[in-house]
Amino acid sequence: LSGVPGFPLPSTHTQQAYDPASDFTSRWTRADALQIKAHSDTTVAAGQNSIPAQLTMPSIPADFPQINPDVWVWDTWTLIDKHATQFSYNGWEVIFCLTADPNAGYTFDDRHVHARIGYFYRRAGIPASQRPVNGGWTYGGHLFADGASAKVFAGTTYTQQAEWSGSTRLLHTNGNRVSVFYTDLAFNRDANANNITPPVAVITQTIGLIHADFNHVWFTGFTRHTPLLQPDGVYYQTGQQNEFYSFRDPFTFEDPQHPGVNYMVFEGNTGGPRGVANCTEADLGYQPNDPHAETLQQVLDSGAYYQKANIGLAIAENSSLSKWKFLPPLISGNCVNDQTERPQMYVHNGKYYIFTISHRTTFAAGVDGPDGVYGFVGKGIRSDFQPMNYGSGLVMGNPTDLNTAAGTDYDPDPQQNPRAFQSYSHYIMPGGLVESFIDTVEGRRGGTLSPTVKLHISAAASAVDLTYGNGGLGGYGDISANRRVVDFLAF
Ligand code: FRU
């Protein structure tokens, strides 16, 4: 092990696989996350990029096109099977996006309590160079009828109700039944957007049918919405324990090592009440006698224990995927970061990668990293996961100056790189292609799809492919299927 002068070494992670049902939770430690700072350039001029080039998303031009002027989109996902293969349906590519109405009188930053899952489609098999610059997607509208997802909260008190991220699974690759797994949200807030009672997040399933003819794509069904999971307070923190808890973003898959068994990863927080100073030496993860190690007391005194992200695991208890049981979390980031969002399981060259998105502003005191996508690699779905790239976890961040205050997307620091919030909600697709949405570029707000970029992924390392597209940037919203379903009996 060799480290960066002045910084601690990363923790040792063997990548060893454990039984998915066992209670081994791997840790993204402070020693790991500090490798991001260790590899950040302290000599760049304020507002430049301090992140290594191969881990930086290329700069999105400020004159980006809009997918549709009448709909904001952010978190986006594809039509996948149990192995995350991406399907077109009867000649059409389909994407699912969180959407909100730009003409309804609220701002892009207030979109979350208005989020509805919408869908778009375009003809499959056309290269990006032959499509309109915005990707050429047609908006199909909301996926669920008005009021359908609210039925989960019937009889409870709420002021707003929303549909948050998830995934859409083609149940049989020779048919048209799809299962949507998403996060059903009910808020109970006062006029200042403070919680009267904590938000209620329910991981929910609904089943429908996809249809396509020669002109368009549409869906039927999605009338019954089945609540699947709410946090247990032991593995996964509840709203009662912390009104700012995270419990969302289900992604289901079958493990090639356990054929026929279905799992779900999701975003959670470590169980227990907010503010209890219970990080441990293991969460710090320093090598014995590392001269650059922090003491546990120093870390606790910094307040870092408010940040306790985890990546959860559940196992399906029936074949219709309507009954699930919690298993212990796969990864925790106690005293490291508070949000590991939209986790996905990505199997590549026999290795298991967990990719997840996170923010600079959710890092704990003393650790830092850009907004972007983070990755962990192991030999099975439950492993002693090794954080990718120098043991840090960072896979691809926005151009960011870690030497300068973060600011926010809604209130940028004028000294910060004007692309530090250019994109978010990255999702890794087959072949290492990555889609995301545009948040803010040079102060211009997005609410539209980013240019697709490409990663080379090899063992515990990755690099942005700068030969892909134009200097690394592919087409805007170029989200293509890599398999086709042809099911002309279904319409
Ligand atoms: C990521 C995210 C998801 C959540 C959604 C809410 O961008 O925070 O975790 O489902 O946005 O808008």
Side-chain angles (χ1 to χ4, degrees):
L1 272 179
S2 72
V4 175
F7 284 87
L9 291 170
S11 307
T12 303
H13 297 278
T14 63
Q15 298 189 23
Q16 181 194 332
Y18 291 78
D19 183 330
S22 76
D23 72 357
F24 178 84
T25 296
S26 96
R27 290 180 167 86
W28 184 26
T29 66
R30 287 179 69 89
D32 297 333
L34 278 170
Q35 304 310 311
I36 301 169
K37 256 195 198 170
H39 290 87
S40 167
D41 186 344
T42 54
T43 67
V44 298
Q48 298 300 303
N49 177 41
S50 72
I51 309 294
Q54 78 277 12
L55 305 184
T56 304
M57 183 166 173
S59 293
I60 299 175
D63 65 350
F64 57 81
Q66 211 71 41
I67 186 171
N68 181 317
D70 293 318
V71 56
W72 278 321
V73 309
W74 64 106
D75 296 17
T76 295
W77 61 92
T78 54
L79 180 65
I80 59 173
D81 70 356
K82 60 190 178 185
H83 293 132
T85 308
Q86 272 174 203
F87 284 84
S88 62
Y89 183 75
N90 281 354
W92 297 93
E93 287 168 349
V94 188
I95 52 172
F96 305 87
C97 311
L98 298 191
T99 68
D101 183 354
N103 308 312
Y106 51 85
T107 69
F108 187 60
D109 299 304
D110 290 329
R111 69 193 184 277
H112 303 282
V113 294
H114 302 281
R116 295 282 303 272
I117 299 172
Y119 71 99
F120 291 78
Y121 54 89
R122 67 178 193 179
R123 288 185 197 280
I126 300 173
S129 59
Q130 287 168 35
R131 295 191 189 268
V133 67
N134 69 355
W137 293 98
T138 299
Y139 185 42
H142 291 157
L143 190 60
F144 312 143
D146 289 350
S149 60
K151 282 190 272 181
V152 166
F153 302 109
T156 70
T157 300
Y158 59 86
T159 53
Q160 289 109 345
Q161 185 260 333
E163 298 159 7
W164 284 13
S165 286
S167 48
T168 302
R169 176 129 157 214
L170 189 62
L171 288 173
H172 307 285
T173 52
N174 56 354
N176 71 333
R177 263 164 82 81
V178 299
S179 173
V180 177
F181 298 91
Y182 72 100
T183 320
D184 210 346
L185 258 297
F187 301 90
N188 187 23
R189 293 184 163 184
D190 66 19
N192 300 318
N194 293 314
N195 292 325
I196 300 166
T197 51
V200 181
V202 185
I203 291 180
T204 299
Q205 180 193 34
T206 184
I207 290 179
L209 301 175
I210 181 170
H211 310 271
D213 62 16
F214 294 108
N215 299 312
H216 76 311
V217 172
W218 73 101
F219 291 86
T220 56
F222 301 132
T223 49
R224 206 162 55 137
H225 288 242
T226 308
L228 303 180
L229 292 167
Q230 282 190 262
D232 60 353
V234 180
Y235 295 137
Y236 305 106
Q237 195 176 47
T238 65
Q240 282 63 44
Q241 293 173 332
N242 175 6
E243 64 173 312
F244 308 111
Y245 76 120
S246 298
F247 182 76
R248 52 184 184 253
D249 304 349
F251 173 93
T252 73
F253 61 97
E254 202 178 283
D255 177 4
Q257 289 178 17
H258 299 87
V261 187
N262 282 281
Y263 295 96
M264 174 195 291
V265 286
F266 55 89
E267 172 183 3
N269 287 111
T270 301
R274 173 178 162 86
V276 175
N278 59 0
C279 294
T280 64
E281 294 282 357
D283 295 319
L284 276 47
Y286 294 110
Q287 301 286 348
N289 306 316
D290 191 318
H292 301 290
E294 304 161 291
T295 67
L296 183 57
Q297 198 56 49
Q298 284 170 332
V299 172
L300 297 180
D301 288 347
S302 75
Y305 52 83
Y306 284 102
Q307 280 72 37
K308 296 202 302 183
N310 72 21
I311 292 175
L313 185 69
I315 182 168
E317 295 193 288
N318 63 7
S319 60
S320 59
L321 309 181
S322 65
K323 273 196 76 190
W324 294 79
K325 189 178 81 179
F326 282 131
L327 294 173
L330 293 179
I331 300 180
S332 66
N334 301 326
C335 280
V336 172
N337 198 305
D338 206 37
Q339 294 191 351
T340 42
E341 313 205 272
R342 292 196 67 194
Q344 57 178 126
M345 189 69 72
Y346 192 88
V347 183
H348 171 72
N349 278 349
K351 294 261 189 185
Y352 289 70
Y353 295 82
I354 293 181
F355 293 111
T356 181
I357 54 170
S358 196
H359 297 285
R360 187 168 183 203
T361 54
T362 55
F363 272 96
V367 280
D368 203 356
D371 275 49
V373 60
Y374 290 78
F376 303 85
V377 59
K379 293 182 179 156
I381 68 168
R382 184 180 298 281
S383 297
D384 182 2
F385 283 104
Q386 183 177 356
M388 290 173 71
N389 297 315
Y390 328 110
S392 73
L394 179 60
V395 169
M396 187 176 66
N398 287 330
T400 306
D401 176 8
L402 289 187
N403 313 302
T404 297
T408 64
D409 46 358
Y410 55 90
D411 186 15
D413 184 317
Q415 297 278 81
Q416 183 48 259
N417 189 305
R419 287 181 171 74
F421 301 100
Q422 68 169 9
S423 65
Y424 193 57
S425 218
H426 304 77
Y427 175 79
I428 321 296
M429 305 187 286
L433 297 170
V434 188
E435 58 93 2
S436 60
F437 79 91
I438 300 177
D439 183 340
T440 307
V441 180
E442 293 182 7
R444 180 176 170 219
R445 300 308 296 271
T448 189
L449 296 177
S450 301
T452 294
V453 301
K454 190 174 180 197
L455 293 176
H456 281 296
I457 301 165
S458 161
S462 68
V464 176
D465 181 351
L466 295 176
T467 69
Y468 177 74
N470 185 358
L473 296 177
Y476 288 88
D478 191 28
I479 303 172
S480 294
N482 64 330
R483 284 274 295 280
R484 296 183 294 170
V485 179
V486 181
D487 179 32
F488 287 107
L489 294 177
F491 74 92

